[in-house]
Amino acid sequence: MLKHYLLISSLLTMIDAAAQSKTDSTDQRKVFVTSGMGWGFALGETKEVLRAKFSNTLGLDISLAKRPYFIYPSLDFLTFRYDQQVPDPDYAYDLEKGRSNFYILNLAGGIRKRFGKLNAHAYGGPGAGVVIQPRAMVSPAEHKVTIESTSHLTPTFRLGVGADYRIGGFFLFVEAGWLHNFRQIQQRSVNVMSLYGGLKTDVTKLKDNVARVIGIE
């Protein structure tokens, strides 16, 4: 998780620094790294297949020049317990109590409202993801069961609301979201409610320092 945090935050802050024009300190565009932990809860018929396990999210909150709008690219690392409901012709047995992972890249935009140290926000936008499903390969001759994985790509859409509160030099945030996968899993529509809490860190100065190092004014 630390590798994800360092790599993604560094690359995206550099891209943002290159893209924006010079602004004075009174109209500075803020950039925050968000890192949260929580759960993703399958909704509707998908609950027969997926059950919530501990999950993570990592993103960037980038203020736009036209406030109070912001862009919010993020990565969801959702983990579920997996109970297979539809037989797979390539495997002789169905699998229960396996593990499924969703890796979702969200490209959202949003709006925020400030109330002193408290900020409320709402966001939405498209994305894409990789969904990994487990399968059980049974070898009676070797008395062995091997867990294999199948995966597919899917377009996604995400909506959410949240709030953060400033404490010293960082923010505590909570966030609730709805994620829809446009590709089914086990012949069921995929809708997930995510609940996260974590830290939001101001990396605007880091972004400015990177811009100076690589010669961007």
Side-chain angles (χ1 to χ4, degrees), residues 109-128:
I111 185 171
R112 79 172 99 250
K113 179 69 174 178
R114 180 175 297 175
F115 305 93
K117 292 185 178 181
L118 177 68
N119 295 299
H121 63 268
Y123 64 89

Side-chain angles (χ1 to χ4, degrees), residues 2-206:
L2 180 59
K3 291 182 179 179
H4 290 145
Y5 186 98
L6 294 175
L7 177 62
I8 296 171
S9 62
S10 297
L11 288 177
L12 291 179
T13 51
M14 287 175 66
I15 292 171
D16 180 69
Q20 66 172 320
S21 59
K22 184 177 180 180
T23 57
D24 61 36
S25 61
T26 61
D27 193 32
Q28 188 178 33
R29 292 173 58 185
K30 291 286 188 178
V31 178
F32 298 89
V33 170
T34 62
S35 178
M37 299 175 290
W39 294 268
F41 299 93
L43 304 176
E45 59 186 358
T46 322
K47 291 189 295 184
E48 300 173 354
V49 182
L50 304 174
R51 298 191 182 183
K53 292 179 72 71
F54 194 69
S55 300
N56 304 90
T57 186
L58 180 66
L60 286 176
D61 179 330
I62 305 171
S63 299
L64 296 178
K66 187 177 181 180
R67 299 183 180 181
Y69 301 102
F70 65 98
I71 57 175
Y72 189 23
S74 64
L75 282 167
D76 286 333
F77 304 93
L78 294 163
T79 303
F80 301 93
R81 197 189 93 173
Y82 181 93
D83 295 321
Q84 188 176 348
Q85 303 294 319
V86 179
D88 188 324
D90 294 329
Y91 298 86
Y93 296 88
D94 294 345
L95 178 66
E96 290 188 355
K97 297 183 179 179
R99 173 173 172 162
S100 177
N101 293 297
F102 289 20
Y103 303 105
I104 309 295
L105 172 63
N106 307 294
L107 301 173
I111 185 171
R112 79 172 99 250
K113 179 69 174 178
R114 180 175 297 175
F115 305 93
K117 292 185 178 181
L118 177 68
N119 295 299
H121 63 268
Y123 64 89
V130 176
V131 174
I132 298 175
Q133 301 178 59
R135 294 290 186 268
M137 176 63 76
V138 178
S139 175
E142 299 179 6
H143 303 284
K144 183 186 295 183
V145 178
T146 303
I147 303 299
E148 299 184 346
S149 297
T150 65
S151 62
H152 65 260
L153 294 172
T154 177
T156 64
F157 189 81
R158 199 170 193 276
L159 294 172
V161 295
D164 57 72
Y165 187 80
R166 184 170 184 172
I167 300 178
F170 61 91
F171 294 80
L172 295 177
F173 81 92
V174 293
E175 193 171 276
W178 168 75
L179 172 70
H180 175 71
N181 286 10
F182 288 95
R183 183 167 175 175
Q184 293 185 334
I185 184 171
Q186 292 286 283
Q187 300 179 2
R188 290 159 171 80
S189 298
V190 180
N191 293 286
V192 174
M193 181 181 69
S194 59
L195 296 174
Y196 293 120
L199 295 178
K200 180 184 288 189
T201 306
D202 189 344
V203 295
T204 306
K205 291 183 179 179
L206 172 62

